[in-house]
Amino acid sequence: MLKNLKIDSKQVPKQKTNDELIVAKSDDSEMKINQFENLPHELIGMIIGYIRDLRDRAQVARVCALFHKIVTDETAIKELNLKPFYTKITGDALINITACYSLAITKLDLSWTGFEHSSINSQSAIEGIKSLSNLEELRCRNCQSFVHDKFLSILAAHCPNLKCSDVEYCTDLESEESFFKCCQQIKWFFMGRSSHHMFGSRSYGTVAELIIRDMIQNCKDIHGVNFWRQRGIGQIFPEFVKKFGPTLKYLDLEWTGLHQSPSNWDPKNFWSLLLGSCPQLEYLALTSVNMRMDDEDIANFAKYCPNLEQLDLLGVRGFSDTGLHSLLSGCKNMKFLDLSYGKTSVDTVAQLQEMYPHCDIKHVPTILNANKVVRRNRGLDPDELETEVEPIQ
């Protein structure tokens, strides 16, 4: 019977020994590593560049020699944000980090690193920025331990490409003057609380006006400026808009109190003069400016600023639903509109949101409007509110 059996002519593969299996596995691992190393280092560096947290970058550098080489390369970090580490960062660490990546860093955020409990002093901060010749954007909020006239003068001298500055707690008016004289290419400036302190016998309103005048004299053009809480600027504000209005894209006038300071503009034509001078405006914040707007003023937003994307009208009153329709229909790029604490009703906001879905309309109703909503939900007449108030005994 064995003779009648047909055996397949195919050769049975020889089984590998344990040593051969180990060699094969090592070859496969080397092949995988080699394939990864064959990728362009620029591509790997671009991928790692999306990791912004320094702690995560340190973990990546421990993976292999290739990752360590890419992470520690002098061109690896272009945006350095030390704000999350403001309680732990030291002056020596700041100097070492900026020295390692001096050629690549274009954006630096030192906010809160110079607060009272921080170990970064004036000397370490100055040494840290001296090597950043390609720096274009700097943020130093709540850094009163080192932001002063000498720091800003060194910044202006060693960072000629600086275009955006967000600085607070300046302690000397001369620092602002020397800063703008050396950094005439500044295009974005956020004053914050830099001029909220008293300078000798000068009030902060006078100081803010002098800083703006210095900007007008030395800066070529401004794309964005934040005048948050800068009161007393009404006299110089029309001159600022006249020079920088054609290139202005970002303007923050929150809590500026323009109605309390004298202005060369007629209050009746204030909004038409402002908007007509800023055709490129994309962002405008008017929280609590305490200046009324009628429907004609609201229509001027769409007439003069068709590129407007964000508008903050928190607390602004005087316009009707018709004005809001003309605003949203004219500003096709509008993405955000804040109507909180105004006279606009909840129903009107709901209708506007349905008609203009491309714009996110924020609305926090006043107490009166909120009471109307509650009464309507309870099946009561929302217009019959109790107006009589019991006298206090």
Side-chain angles (χ1 to χ4, degrees):
M1 295 181 60
L2 293 176
K3 294 180 180 181
N4 296 330
L5 292 177
K6 294 182 179 181
I7 301 176
D8 193 358
S9 60
K10 293 183 180 180
Q11 186 177 1
V12 179
K14 183 181 178 180
Q15 293 185 353
K16 295 182 180 180
T17 62
N18 291 336
D19 295 338
E20 291 175 340
L21 290 174
I22 294 174
V23 173
K25 290 182 179 179
S26 62
D27 292 340
D28 293 339
S29 61
E30 290 179 0
M31 185 180 296
K32 292 180 181 179
I33 295 176
N34 291 336
Q35 289 179 353
F36 192 81
E37 288 183 346
N38 288 334
L39 290 175
H41 290 187
E42 293 80 4
L43 177 59
I44 303 175
M46 185 182 300
I47 297 173
I48 296 178
Y50 286 100
I51 303 176
R52 304 297 177 86
D53 195 291
L54 294 179
R55 292 168 294 189
D56 295 337
R57 280 179 172 267
Q59 294 294 332
V60 172
R62 297 178 181 179
V63 173
C64 61
L66 175 61
F67 281 12
H68 183 273
K69 179 181 178 181
I70 294 175
V71 171
T72 57
D73 186 80
E74 61 181 7
T75 61
I77 296 181
K78 295 183 179 180
E79 300 181 10
L80 182 59
N81 183 10
L82 297 178
K83 183 179 179 180
F85 315 103
Y86 72 95
T87 58
K88 300 178 180 180
I89 191 72
T90 62
D92 293 337
L94 174 64
I95 296 174
N96 293 334
I97 293 176
T98 55
C100 292
Y101 305 102
S102 58
L103 299 178
I105 294 178
T106 58
K107 296 181 180 181
L108 177 62
D109 193 343
L110 296 177
S111 299
W112 292 87
T113 59
F115 204 53
E116 296 177 354
H117 54 266
S118 177
S119 59
I120 296 182
N121 53 25
S122 176
Q123 183 179 358
S124 58
I126 291 175
E127 291 296 326
I129 65 168
K130 277 186 176 180
S131 58
L132 303 179
S133 58
N134 295 323
L135 190 65
E136 297 180 359
E137 180 178 334
L138 174 66
R139 297 182 181 275
C140 293
R141 295 201 171 198
N142 294 337
C143 296
Q144 61 268 40
S145 66
F146 60 79
V147 175
H148 47 64
D149 54 347
K150 185 177 180 180
F151 174 82
L152 292 181
S153 61
I154 294 294
L155 176 66
H158 290 80
C159 304
N161 299 319
L162 194 65
K163 298 178 182 179
C164 179
S165 176
D166 187 354
V167 182
E168 290 186 356
Y169 290 112
C170 300
T171 56
D172 196 336
L173 180 61
E174 295 181 358
S175 63
E176 300 285 358
E177 292 180 340
S178 60
F179 177 73
F180 285 118
K181 288 179 181 178
C182 297
C183 292
Q184 298 182 2
Q185 74 284 355
I186 282 286
K187 299 186 182 299
W188 303 82
F189 187 75
F190 302 90
M191 297 178 66
R193 286 172 284 181
S194 58
S195 59
H196 273 211
H197 301 279
M198 302 294 289
F199 295 82
S201 59
R202 299 169 175 171
S203 64
Y204 61 80
T206 306
V207 172
E209 185 177 353
L210 292 175
I211 293 174
I212 297 173
R213 188 176 300 279
D214 188 60
M215 293 172 63
I216 297 174
Q217 294 175 355
N218 295 286
C219 296
K220 297 179 181 179
D221 54 16
I222 296 292
H223 291 174
V225 64
N226 189 335
F227 288 136
W228 183 74
R229 289 189 178 274
Q230 303 297 327
R231 298 181 178 272
I233 62 174
Q235 192 69 28
I236 193 67
F237 184 70
E239 186 177 350
F240 173 86
V241 173
K242 181 179 179 180
K243 180 174 181 179
F244 301 119
T247 61
L248 205 60
K249 297 182 179 181
Y250 180 104
L251 180 60
D252 193 333
L253 297 175
E254 296 182 80
W255 301 91
T256 50
L258 290 175
H259 68 293
Q260 296 178 346
S261 55
S263 175
N264 297 328
W265 288 349
D266 184 1
K268 296 181 180 180
N269 301 324
F270 180 87
W271 297 114
S272 61
L273 293 173
L274 171 61
L275 300 175
S277 303
C278 306
Q280 303 297 327
L281 203 61
E282 298 177 359
Y283 177 97
L284 179 60
L286 301 172
T287 297
S288 299
V289 293
N290 292 329
M291 297 184 68
R292 293 183 61 84
M293 288 185 185
D294 54 24
D295 290 342
E296 183 179 357
D297 296 328
I298 290 293
N300 286 332
F301 283 94
K303 179 180 179 180
Y304 296 112
C305 305
N307 299 324
L308 199 62
E309 297 181 1
Q310 297 188 44
L311 179 60
D312 186 349
L313 297 177
L314 189 148
V316 181
R317 302 182 178 185
F319 50 84
S320 65
D321 301 347
T322 304
L324 292 176
H325 279 286
S326 61
L327 168 66
L328 293 173
S329 61
C331 296
K332 305 295 184 180
N333 299 329
M334 185 73 72
K335 299 178 181 178
F336 179 79
L337 176 63
D338 194 344
L339 300 175
S340 300
Y341 300 109
K343 289 189 176 181
T344 308
S345 65
V346 178
D347 295 335
T348 300
V349 173
Q351 294 175 1
L352 292 173
Q353 189 67 79
E354 184 178 357
M355 294 179 62
Y356 306 98
H358 62 278
C359 179
D360 182 14
I361 303 177
K362 181 181 178 181
H363 181 248
V364 178
T366 60
I367 297 178
L368 180 62
N369 289 334
N371 289 335
K372 289 184 178 181
V373 174
V374 172
R375 290 181 62 84
R376 182 172 62 248
N377 294 337
R378 292 178 178 178
L380 303 176
D381 187 356
D383 295 326
E384 294 182 359
L385 297 178
E386 297 180 0
T387 57
E388 296 182 2
V389 181
E390 296 182 0
I392 300 176
Q393 299 295 334

